[in-house]
Amino acid sequence: MPAPRRPALGSAVAVSVAAAVLTGSLVLVGCQRGASVGGGSVAPSPARPGCPAAQARAAAAVAQAEQTAPATPGPADGPRAATGKDVIYVAQTMTNPGVAGAAKGVQEAARAIGWNLRVIDGQGTPTGIQAAFDQAVGLRPAGIVIGGFDPDLTSTQVARTAAHHIPLVGWHAVGSPGPSRHPALFTNVTTRVEDVAKASADWVIAHSHGHAGVVVFTDASIPFAETKSTLIAKELATCPGVRVLTEENIPIPDSSSRTPLEVASLLSRFPDAWTHSVAVNDVYFSDAAPALRAARRKGGGAPFNIGAGDGDPSAFQRINSRQFQAATVPEPFAQQGWQILDELNRAFAGAPASGYVAPVHIATAANSQGATTWDPPGYRAAYRRIWGR
C-alpha cells in the first residue's frame, strides 16, 4: 500500500474491503440548473418540480441529518471500566487527518477511563504498518486498535494476536461496522457506507429542488469507494430530474495532479449543465478549487459540492468560507475514538460488542458554526456514566 498523500475513504487510502455487488439499471433523465434549499448559495428555483415525492423524502432526510445533536450519543449501557489496561493504537499513518483524529479521541478516552495508551505510526506503507503491528504484538498489550488499514495487510500479526488472546478493534478496518470473523475483529468502528451515500445524494436532490446535473468523483481501485459511488448514483436515480453527467474515476493518490485537469475538461463539456458534484472523499474538492477559480466560478456557486465521507478540517474550512464546497458527510472522529475504548472494555469483560453506529450527519456552513470537525454532543458523558468514571 503506497503512502497516502491525503485522507482516504472514510479516512484511510489503503482500505480494501469486500463490497457487495450492486445490480440494476439507473434511469437518469432530465437536467436543469440547480437551486438551493440548504447550505450554499441560492440559485433560481425551477419553474416546475423535478420529483415531488422523492424531493420531499430527501428534504426530510437531510433535515434530520443536519441536526447538531444526534438522537443517540452512544450505547445505553455496558460494563464498568476495567482497571490498569495497556492499549496500543497502530495507525496507518498519522499524517492522515482521519486516522489522527480517531487517535486523538482514543487518547482522550484513555485518560478518562484511566488506561495507558501508546500510538505506533505505520508511516503509510505496508512494510511500515507490518513493523508497527509487530512492535505492538511484541509489547503484549491488553488490546490493539487497527487504525485505518486493511487487516489483510497484516495477516501474520493478526494471527499472533489471536494466539496471545489480544482482542482487536478496528477503526475503518473493514467496510461495515460491527464484529468481523474474517478478519477476526471484536468489532469495527465506522459509519455505514449506505447511510453516507444516501445522505450525500439526498442533499443534492433537496438542494437542487429535484433538477441537477451531477458529476460523481470516485476511486474505482478501492472496492469500498466504488461501492459508495454506485450507491450514490442509485439514490440520485430516484429523482428523474437529476442526471449523472459523468463519473470521474481518479485514484485518490493521483487527485492533486489529475483533478484540476479533469475539472477544466468538465467545465468545457458541461458549462451550464454541471450544477452539483458528489465525491467519495472531500480531497477531490481541495484539488478542484484551483480549476474552478481559474474558470472564474464563484466559491459559493455552482457546481455545489458535497463530500460523501471523511470531513477533515480542510473540508470544514472550505464549507465555512464557501469556497467550492457546500457540504460534507463527516465522520465523528473523536466520538469514534471513545467508542473504540468502550468496545475494548466490553471485550475485556467478556461482553458482546455494543452494536452502536453513529448516526449520519450532514455539515454545512449553516450548522457547523465555524467548527473544523464534527464532534456531536453528549457521548463523553454517556461513556463516563457507563464506565463509572
Side-chain angles (χ1 to χ4, degrees):
M1 173 176 63
R5 181 188 61 80
R6 299 291 184 88
L9 258 327
S11 300
V13 170
V15 171
S16 175
V17 299
V21 177
L22 299 171
T23 59
S25 60
L26 305 180
V27 180
L28 305 170
V29 296
C31 176
Q32 293 185 17
R33 291 286 299 193
S36 171
V37 296
S41 299
V42 177
S45 297
R48 58 182 177 79
C51 51
Q55 183 186 338
R57 175 194 48 73
V62 168
Q64 177 69 29
E66 286 181 340
Q67 293 184 11
T68 55
T72 55
D77 51 34
R80 306 284 278 186
T83 58
K85 297 297 183 180
D86 296 320
V87 174
I88 296 178
Y89 182 100
V90 180
Q92 179 224 12
T93 170
M94 289 296 284
T95 62
N96 182 319
V99 173
K104 183 178 179 181
V106 173
Q107 290 170 325
E108 183 183 90
R111 289 192 294 270
I113 202 171
W115 294 354
N116 298 313
L117 175 72
R118 179 171 180 174
V119 177
I120 303 179
D121 192 343
Q123 306 294 330
T125 67
T127 301
I129 292 168
Q130 289 162 5
F133 211 146
D134 267 331
Q135 183 181 355
V137 177
L139 292 170
R140 300 289 180 88
I144 294 175
V145 181
I146 294 178
F149 60 88
D150 182 354
D152 286 342
L153 289 170
T154 55
S155 56
T156 300
Q157 291 80 11
V158 169
R160 288 176 59 203
T161 62
H164 295 307
H165 305 289
I166 301 172
L168 297 176
V169 169
W171 179 82
H172 290 215
V174 295
S176 301
S180 170
R181 295 184 64 183
H182 304 288
L185 303 178
F186 177 75
T187 196
N188 182 55
V189 177
T190 185
T191 50
R192 292 189 180 94
V193 64
E194 299 89 348
D195 295 345
V196 173
K198 184 178 183 300
S200 61
D202 282 346
W203 182 88
V204 170
I205 294 170
H207 186 273
S208 68
H209 296 299
H211 286 271
V214 186
V215 173
V216 178
F217 292 91
T218 191
D219 182 347
S221 69
I222 303 174
F224 183 76
E226 189 173 26
T227 297
K228 186 185 287 188
S229 57
T230 301
L231 290 166
I232 290 167
K234 183 177 181 181
E235 181 66 15
L236 290 172
T238 64
C239 178
V242 172
R243 182 165 67 100
V244 175
L245 301 172
T246 184
E247 182 176 289
E248 293 295 314
N249 175 25
I250 302 173
I252 288 175
D254 299 337
S255 179
S256 62
S257 61
R258 288 187 50 186
T259 300
L261 298 175
E262 295 297 338
V263 168
S265 174
L266 290 166
L267 289 169
S268 177
R269 293 166 58 196
F270 310 111
D272 297 315
W274 181 16
T275 66
H276 291 76
S277 309
V278 187
V280 296
N281 190 282
D282 293 304
V283 67
Y284 291 104
F285 300 133
S286 174
D287 297 324
L292 292 168
R293 194 174 290 113
R296 299 181 181 249
R297 292 297 178 106
K298 294 181 179 180
F304 299 99
N305 300 321
I306 181 169
D310 205 41
D312 66 76
S314 68
F316 275 85
Q317 289 162 7
R318 287 190 297 276
I319 291 165
N320 293 333
S321 61
R322 293 177 171 82
Q323 289 298 304
F324 307 106
Q325 187 165 351
T328 187
V329 185
E331 295 283 325
F333 299 130
Q335 180 188 31
Q336 290 173 338
W338 281 65
Q339 182 182 348
I340 286 167
L341 279 207
D342 181 66
E343 300 292 0
L344 282 173
N345 190 56
R346 291 167 192 268
F348 300 151
S354 72
Y356 179 77
V357 180
V360 71
H361 177 68
I362 297 175
T364 67
N367 67 5
S368 69
Q369 299 178 331
T372 57
T373 188
W374 167 230
D375 192 26
Y379 65 88
R380 293 177 176 87
Y383 283 120
R384 284 182 178 275
R385 176 184 56 76
I386 291 171
W387 299 339
R389 293 289 196 258

